Amino acid sequence: MWWDLAFRIFNFVVLLGILYFAIRTPLSSYLKKRQETIRQEIEDAQQAKQAGQRELNEYKTRLQAIKEETAKILQAAIREAERERERIIEEAKQMAEKIKRQAEQGAQQELQMARQRLQEEVAAITVKLTEELLKKHLEPGDHERLVDEYIEQVRVLR
Amino acid sequence: MIGKKIAHRYAKALMNIGREDGKYERYLAELDTFTSLYQKEGRLRDALRNPTINLQKRQAVITELGGRLGLSDVTTNFLRLLVEKDRIVHLPDIVVEYRRLVDEAAGRARVRLVTAYTLSVGKQEALKRVFERLVGKGVIMEVVQDPSIIGGVVAQIGDRIYDGSVRTQLQALKSRLAKG
């Protein structure tokens, strides 16, 4: 019984010994290769990671630049809009001033004309009344005096 | 303008005759007489101007009137000539021009005076003297009354006007007042 068992153990040890010698070299080479491959992959991955990082940094930088550029453009646009607003306001002010001045001048002229008309009317009425009074109240003596004055005026003529 | 030229030509022709026979003053008086009738009587005026009426008939009218008004032959013939030459329409202008020539020949000026009321003889004399002194020759005064001048005197000698009327002074006052 124990022989059988001993035999079997012996067989197994022999098999193990054979197996050991038979696969030691290919296995070792396989493992080495595998190790190499894994190392290479790790290296590649690291490189890829670094490249990614660089690209990321680059994008970040460009994004920052774009952000700054945008901010600059925006600022310029705001300043421009501000200037335009001021210009429009200034223009509107000038226009309003001009309209006001014109209106004032028009009113002044209107007033002047009305004043002139009034003065003319007053003059006409005054003279009309004076004429009526003179016609009513001039007496022969006054007429004589007027003729005497006229004679004097003609006398000094040449 | 043309009327004045025509008036001058005819007036001068009559003046030449008047100078020769020394009766230019008389012709002036006669022309005045006829002209006042001519201007007063519209029918006479129309008849003398009407070319459809036979010329002899129109001239006969002149002759008839000349006889009644006691006009000299020279004046009557002058008027007949005006009718014949269709110049009778210019008669008033011709008389004005003839009067100017007569005044010139007689060495006197004519003063047309406008007054608002009747001038006393004394004032008329004073005015006459002052105008004689002004123009340096004798003047004939023609006084017209026109109350519209209100007071004072307006005198016209030839083209010159000496305006001392109250009306004109009032007008001047009016424009001064209107200017302010």
Side-chain angles (χ1 to χ4, degrees):
Chain A
M1 222 18 205
W2 61 279
W3 289 99
D4 189 38
L5 182 65
F7 183 66
R8 282 187 192 194
I9 290 168
F10 174 71
N11 264 352
F12 184 65
V13 171
V14 170
L15 183 68
L16 277 180
I18 292 165
L19 271 177
Y20 175 73
F21 283 107
I23 64 171
R24 192 183 60 181
T25 312
L27 184 67
S28 161
S29 122
Y30 169 77
L31 284 176
K32 232 179 216 170
K33 230 185 220 168
R34 176 85 186 127
Q35 196 181 19
E36 188 59 31
T37 304
I38 287 168
R39 200 181 51 80
Q40 190 62 44
E41 274 175 2
I42 287 170
E43 222 166 75
D44 282 354
Q46 264 171 354
Q47 269 174 10
K49 192 186 161 193
Q50 275 169 5
Q53 193 65 44
R54 273 201 306 278
E55 213 163 313
L56 181 65
N57 285 342
E58 206 175 298
Y59 277 122
K60 272 184 180 167
T61 312
R62 272 162 68 180
L63 189 63
Q64 188 59 33
I66 286 167
K67 266 185 186 168
E68 281 169 13
E69 187 66 19
T70 307
K72 257 188 217 163
I73 289 168
L74 195 62
Q75 279 298 311
I78 288 169
R79 275 200 303 277
E80 183 61 28
E82 193 67 27
R83 274 201 295 276
E84 185 68 5
R85 192 178 73 102
E86 278 166 13
R87 196 182 60 76
I88 288 167
I89 288 172
E90 187 55 34
E91 257 181 28
K93 266 187 196 165
Q94 280 175 5
M95 183 68 83
E97 195 59 36
K98 195 173 163 190
I99 289 168
K100 201 176 131 195
R101 233 180 6 252
Q102 276 173 350
E104 272 172 5
Q105 275 173 0
Q108 198 63 31
Q109 244 168 19
E110 200 69 22
L111 185 68
Q112 192 64 31
M113 267 158 66
R115 207 176 273 160
Q116 181 62 31
R117 273 201 302 277
L118 186 66
Q119 209 157 8
E120 277 167 14
E121 265 172 49
V122 168
I125 292 167
T126 308
V127 168
K128 186 82 195 146
L129 287 176
T130 312
E131 192 180 316
E132 298 294 328
L133 280 174
L134 283 173
K135 274 183 184 163
K136 231 181 262 176
H137 297 292
L138 272 184
E139 303 205 342
D142 300 315
H143 283 294
E144 297 264 327
R145 216 185 55 253
L146 284 168
V147 173
D148 286 341
E149 279 171 14
Y150 180 77
I151 289 170
E152 267 318 301
Q153 284 164 7
V154 176
R155 199 191 300 282
V156 297
L157 288 177
R158 261 187 292 165
Chain B
M1 199 62 211
I2 293 165
K4 276 214 169 142
K5 240 178 175 171
I6 291 166
H8 179 73
R9 210 167 60 227
Y10 281 89
K12 206 176 163 195
L14 183 60
M15 190 62 204
N16 284 340
I17 300 170
R19 258 190 225 272
E20 268 176 35
D21 61 17
K23 290 179 184 167
Y24 52 80
E25 297 273 13
R26 182 182 166 187
Y27 301 149
L28 176 63
E30 288 177 358
L31 275 184
D32 275 338
T33 309
F34 184 83
T35 308
S36 63
L37 185 71
Y38 173 83
Q39 284 181 320
K40 231 179 342 200
E41 296 294 334
R43 278 173 61 203
L44 171 67
R45 213 159 52 230
D46 294 342
L48 292 179
R49 286 174 181 181
N50 191 343
T52 62
I53 297 173
N54 180 289
L55 176 65
Q56 272 77 35
K57 276 188 185 167
R58 284 185 282 156
Q59 287 185 320
V61 170
I62 298 271
T63 312
E64 171 70 22
L65 278 172
R68 289 201 193 176
L69 295 169
L71 303 186
S72 62
D73 287 348
V74 170
T75 307
T76 309
N77 285 334
F78 180 71
L79 293 169
R80 284 165 60 101
L81 180 74
L82 290 184
V83 171
E84 191 190 322
K85 301 282 186 189
D86 271 333
R87 298 301 196 201
I88 196 75
V89 286
H90 297 295
L91 181 63
D93 288 339
I94 292 170
V95 175
V96 169
E97 181 63 10
Y98 183 66
R99 194 190 318 283
R100 195 183 66 77
L101 292 174
V102 169
D103 286 342
E104 207 175 85
R108 71 186 173 217
R110 199 164 288 266
V111 181
R112 188 172 179 275
L113 274 188
V114 181
T115 59
Y117 86 117
T118 318
L119 277 180
S120 68
V121 179
K123 293 291 174 223
Q124 277 200 39
E125 275 304 311
L127 282 163
K128 189 169 186 290
R129 277 197 303 278
V130 85
F131 279 115
E132 277 174 346
R133 194 166 157 269
L134 180 69
V135 297
K137 51 185 168 186
V139 299
I140 291 182
M141 308 271 280
E142 284 174 6
V143 185
V144 181
Q145 226 173 298
D146 180 2
S148 80
I149 71 165
I150 306 166
V153 182
V154 181
Q156 185 180 356
I157 308 173
D159 299 335
R160 280 177 297 170
I161 289 173
Y162 302 90
D163 193 335
S165 69
V166 171
R167 185 182 55 195
T168 302
Q169 285 174 40
L170 282 176
Q171 285 308 314
L173 174 71
K174 189 168 150 185
S175 36
R176 267 212 310 282
L177 285 177
K179 273 182 205 149

